[in-house]
């Protein structure tokens, strides 16, 4: 049993250590005997016997790895890595022409908040969205194939950290920027920050049939930093909220300067009203985007004062409240949508900033909740009874509380410093209330040492009764947020269906061929157990021969329509690698600039004769 070690520094640590002990917070039995039996029953809770499957998928953000990690719950076994914003040589992601083009030359991303698509406020298991803070992009992942299908670059903005959170029927996801920049990211002196810089929010749509992301419109919010956002639900479904910090508009030493004011704001906006403005042509064209300037186009956007430098804001499953947590203030503040709508209607304003009206705090605030000694509240999740679970970054615990009364119901220490937590079906109108996973920033002494840098951790917490931490597993950087969905909602496919309309696909061995058009060489090839066929009629069907300088397209179809028979394709010393999954057709496009003899081979173990699955790529030197 781990000791509870507060990780906070200075005064705070002393204060916490002095006032909270492990025994106060933990429900764990104290005798060794009892601890053993509790450990055993916990082990049984996470044990999924061979042949049986987990009940939930946990899809975890990979932060600055640019990837997503897929786990099973309750076993907490890692099943898969899905590359999204970074190339991945294990799958050839970013090497084949479709994904290479999609990555647009970027070799990394910072993926924070995955969001599942919703229908009527419930996860529908079709798509997952995520944003990239590092290079201002948004992505859509298809959950039939678990592959990234589209990536869009978001202009006029720099780091859409706060997303993605989708509206009730996945009409929009809102991408407010973390960093304010001049429109078009043009050069402007920081002395002009107030007048020339903006914190742009983008409203992004997704066409599920075409699998295409699109920017519907943007809003030029004041030059502040925008943090977490969430969409309304049920009676608040036309609205969305986001938190702000640095409303001080400081341009240096943010650590100090962005924490001066006692209050920052929540931005509350009605996306139906904004969409209507755009439809009526009430916008300005900025670098090809439809931009709403709130100081010119009044209505639809309001500010609500909130305890300084808030981080998270979360809408309750019933859609009645939104809860903001101040990382610097020890309180969670519950606001009422109904009261906010009334304040909007009555023009119950206490002033305005940058042309946006500020709603009267007292009129909208429901209650401030401050559990004793709970420090650093960040993000809140919910169970099936509407109870809230807030991560406490500084006091390293999860606090369960009742948003309707403010009463603290339960607390459990986690190891250590949780950022987000995620509940089963947590962002829906009907969370499951069975599991909560704490996404911890620090592992400290939890695992075998692998040097100065430690992994982050995830802890599985049984929330069906008194909170009980049943498992701790290491996870790659960085678990910012995750989604947990019932496994039976996901309809993965086992093989790609034949696509007879795809001109690059070849399903019959005798159709494999190499076509030359000037200096363009198109290989229409086949991968199967256990050989390549590039040219069915050639003396050596598994050899590709080109001239130096030729532009080469290798279209490869895996004709093993068989579960789990994926082939790889790599050309030695050409820095090229891709995979073709069962039934899939994929293309590598490159210039054969290096003359010589280069073996090519299958990188993915596919049969007893996988080692024989190879050939040659011959490049005849220029005279
Ligand atoms: S953030 Cu709050 S802990 Cu990117 Cu959601 Cu990481
Ligand atoms: Cu095909 Cu290994």
């Amino acid at each position: 049993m781990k000791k509870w070690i507060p990780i906070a520094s200075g005064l705070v640590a002393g204060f916490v250590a002095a006032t909270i002990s492990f025994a106060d917070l933990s429900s764990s039995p104290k005798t060794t005997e009892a601890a053993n039996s509790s450990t055993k029953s916990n082990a049984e809770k996470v044990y999924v016997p061979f042949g049986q499957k987990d009940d939930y998928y946990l899809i975890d953000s990979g932060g600055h790895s640019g990837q997503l990690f897929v786990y099973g719950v309750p076993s907490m076994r890692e099943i898969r890595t899905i590359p999204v914003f970074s190339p991945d040589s294990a799958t050839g992601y970013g090497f084949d022409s479709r994904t290479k083009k999609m990555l647009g030359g970027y070799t990394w991303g910072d993926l924070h908040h995955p969001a599942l698509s919703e229908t009527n406020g419930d996860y529908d298991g079709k798509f997952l969205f995520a944003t990239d803070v590092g290079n201002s992009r948004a992505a859509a992942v298809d959950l039939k194939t678990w592959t990234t299908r589209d990536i869009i670059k978001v202009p006029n903005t720099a780091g859409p950290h706060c997303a993605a959170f989708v509206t009730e029927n996945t009409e929009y996801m809102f991408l407010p920027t973390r960093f304010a920049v001049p429109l078009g990211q043009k050069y402007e002196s920081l002395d002009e920050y107030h007048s020339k810089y903006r914190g742009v929010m983008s409203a992004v749509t997704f066409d599920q049939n075409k699998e295409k992301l699109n920017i519907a419109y943007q809003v030029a919010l004041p030059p502040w930093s925008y943090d977490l956002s969430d969409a309304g639900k049920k009676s608040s479904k036309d609205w969305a909220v986001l938190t702000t910090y640095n409303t001080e508009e400081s341009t240096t030493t943010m650590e100090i300067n962005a924490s001066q004011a006692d209050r920052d704001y929540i931005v509350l906006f009605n996306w139906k009203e904004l969409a209507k403005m755009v439809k009526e042509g009430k916008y300005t064209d900025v670098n090809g985007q439809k931009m709403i300037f709130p100081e010119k186009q009044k209505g639809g956007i309001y500010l609500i004062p909130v305890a300084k430098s808030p981080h998270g804001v979360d809408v309750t499953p019933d859609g009645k409240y939104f809860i903001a947590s101040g990382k610097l203030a020890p309180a969670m503040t519950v606001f009422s949508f109904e009261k906010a709508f009334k304040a909007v209607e009555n023009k119950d304003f206490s002033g305005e900033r940058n042309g946006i009206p500020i709603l009267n705090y007292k009129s909208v605030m429901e209650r401030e909740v401050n559990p004793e000694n709970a420090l650093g509240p960040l993000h809140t999740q919910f169970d099936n009874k509407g109870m809230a679970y807030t991560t406490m970054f500084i006091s390293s615990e999860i606090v369960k509380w009742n948003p309707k009364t403010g009463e603290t119901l339960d607390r459990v220490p986690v190891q250590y410093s949780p950022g987000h937590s995620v509940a089963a079906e947590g962002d829906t109108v009907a969370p499951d209330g069975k599991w909560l996973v704490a996404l911890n920033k620090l592992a400290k002494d939890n695992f075998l040492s692998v040097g100065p840098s430690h992994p982050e951790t995830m802890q599985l917490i049984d929330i069906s009764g008194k909170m009980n931490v049943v498992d701790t597993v290491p996870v790659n950087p960085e678990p910012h947020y995750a989604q947990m969905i019932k496994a039976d909602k996901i309809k993965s496919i086992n093989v790609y269906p034949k696509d007879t309309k795809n001109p690059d696909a070849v399903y019959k061995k005798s159709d494999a061929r190499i076509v030359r058009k000037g200096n363009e060489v198109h290989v229409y090839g086949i991968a199967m157990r256990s050989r390549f066929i590039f040219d069915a009629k050639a003396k050596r069907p598994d050899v590709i021969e080109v001239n130096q300088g030729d532009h080469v397209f290798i279209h490869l179809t895996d004709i093993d329509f068989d579960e789990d028979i994926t082939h790889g394709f790599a050309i030695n010393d050409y820095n090229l690698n891709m995979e073709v999954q069962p039934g899939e057709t994929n293309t590598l496009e490159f210039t054969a600039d290096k003359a010589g003899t280069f073996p090519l081979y299958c990188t993915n173990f596919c049969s007893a004769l996988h080692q024989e699955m190879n050939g040659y790529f011959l490049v005849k030197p220029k005279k």
Side-chain angles (χ1 to χ4, degrees), residues 112-113 161 227-228 311 378-379 419-420 441 478-481:
H112 277 242
H113 303 101
H161 171 237
D227 221 338
L228 269 285
H311 183 53
L378 291 187
H379 302 287
H420 284 260
K441 300 298 188 189
E478 180 176 334
H480 285 285
Y481 190 40

Side-chain angles (χ1 to χ4, degrees), residues 320-377:
K320 289 188 175 155
Y321 306 100
F322 49 102
I323 299 165
S325 303
K327 54 187 186 279
L328 296 180
M332 290 85 80
T333 314
V334 184
F335 296 92
S336 156
F337 270 114
E338 210 184 309
K339 288 184 177 173
F341 300 159
K342 218 167 272 166
V344 167
E345 209 183 296
N346 299 338
K347 296 200 161 52
D348 183 0
F349 304 146
S350 62
E352 63 162 52
R353 285 270 317 254
N354 303 51
I356 308 173
I358 303 170
L359 301 183
N360 217 321
Y361 178 73
K362 287 222 172 76
S363 311
V364 182
M365 194 270 293
E366 190 75 25
R367 63 180 53 83
E368 289 171 353
V369 180
N370 189 353
E372 206 182 341
N373 304 324
L375 295 172

